[in-house]
Amino acid sequence: MPSILLNGPSGRLEGHYTHNTKAQSPTALILHAHPGHGGNMNNPLSLKLHKLFSDLEFSTLRFNFRGVGKSDGEHDGSEGELADSAIALDWLQNQNQDSQEYWICGISFGAWVGMQLLMRRPEILKFILVSPPVGKYDFNFLAPCPASGVVINADKDPLVEVNLIKDVVKRLNQQKTINVKQEVIKSSDHFFNNNEHKVIEKVKKYCDSQKN
């Protein structure tokens, strides 16, 4: 899992990348949680997701948003992190020019950023949202949503109203050809501390269900 430095909009972006040499292997871009809550690319959940995607033969990239870890710049909270993510996706595509399948996987704040990126980049075919901060951030831009995916959240999330997440999933599923699954993990918090393995199980289940 070699370290890399990307040329981001505000300077260098620190990342880790695992390349799969299999022809046309899928790719995954992992976006971490809000740095104000301690989010970074080396949080336990980010690490476990990276390993899972790599084990599933995805070429996988995770990176630190601007101002986090060794990444240059300052936390922006919106357009800056979206620009960072676009650069990361460009780099991932350049390394995997034969790939037919690009996935985005966002954790909390990273889920919000990731879905904005998805709306701008039609090559992203699938998404995985972990604890999307519905209500804290506006998700109304997902109208319509161009891709299918899975939403994973905790039933006792103290930061997000579970019913709001359910409403978003219901609204997305009203679109033809779009299928958004929701997986609820019981007795866990917003960041699934000490329950990361349950998230990994759900993500693996979803990835396995999408194999041709």
Side-chain angles (χ1 to χ4, degrees):
M1 198 182 295
S3 298
I4 60 168
L5 289 173
L6 308 176
N7 292 319
S10 294
R12 299 178 305 173
L13 294 173
E14 176 189 19
H16 281 280
Y17 175 65
T18 303
H19 186 70
N20 188 284
T21 57
K22 185 178 178 181
Q24 298 185 340
S25 63
T27 71
L29 177 63
I30 299 170
L31 305 179
H32 67 73
H34 197 293
H37 293 285
N40 63 69
M41 70 172 180
N42 292 321
N43 288 141
L45 187 52
S46 297
L47 289 169
K48 290 179 184 296
L49 284 166
H50 190 128
K51 184 179 186 305
L52 173 66
F53 280 114
S54 299
D55 289 347
L56 293 175
E57 299 185 328
F58 282 70
S59 287
T60 308
L61 172 64
R62 72 184 198 277
F63 73 97
N64 277 329
F65 287 129
R66 57 183 60 199
V68 180
K70 295 179 181 178
S71 290
D72 293 333
E74 295 181 1
H75 173 66
D76 178 278
S78 181
E79 293 297 325
E81 283 76 14
L82 177 57
D84 294 343
S85 301
I87 289 293
L89 181 61
D90 289 342
W91 187 92
L92 189 58
Q93 288 178 308
N94 189 53
Q95 302 299 311
N96 298 273
Q97 296 184 19
D98 293 329
S99 180
Q100 308 282 315
E101 207 169 312
Y102 295 93
W103 290 48
I104 198 88
C105 178
I107 305 167
S108 191
F109 170 73
W112 179 65
V113 174
M115 292 308 281
Q116 292 182 79
L117 182 65
L118 181 147
M119 293 295 289
R120 291 162 170 79
R121 303 291 288 267
E123 65 269 31
I124 301 174
L125 299 182
K126 291 287 190 301
F127 64 83
I128 295 172
L129 306 184
V130 180
S131 290
V134 180
K136 302 292 184 182
Y137 292 88
D138 186 3
F139 279 78
N140 288 328
F141 60 85
L142 295 175
C145 178
S148 296
V150 62
V151 175
I152 301 170
N153 65 280
D155 68 335
K156 299 185 185 303
D157 191 328
L159 301 180
V160 179
E161 276 191 54
V162 177
N163 286 338
L164 294 180
I165 297 176
K166 185 178 179 180
D167 289 344
V168 168
V169 172
K170 182 179 180 180
R171 188 166 73 245
L172 294 179
N173 278 318
Q174 291 174 347
Q175 302 172 100
K176 293 181 179 179
T177 74
I178 296 299
N179 183 14
V180 179
K181 296 183 179 295
Q182 183 178 15
E183 297 282 358
V184 179
I185 296 177
K186 295 181 179 180
S187 304
S188 188
D189 61 19
H190 184 74
F191 295 109
F192 301 98
N193 291 307
N194 300 316
N195 282 308
E196 293 90 356
H197 66 283
K198 295 181 180 179
V199 177
I200 298 304
E201 289 171 0
K202 299 292 188 183
V203 175
K204 184 178 185 305
K205 176 184 173 184
Y206 181 75
C207 290
D208 288 344
S209 74
Q210 299 303 301
K211 292 180 180 178
N212 295 325

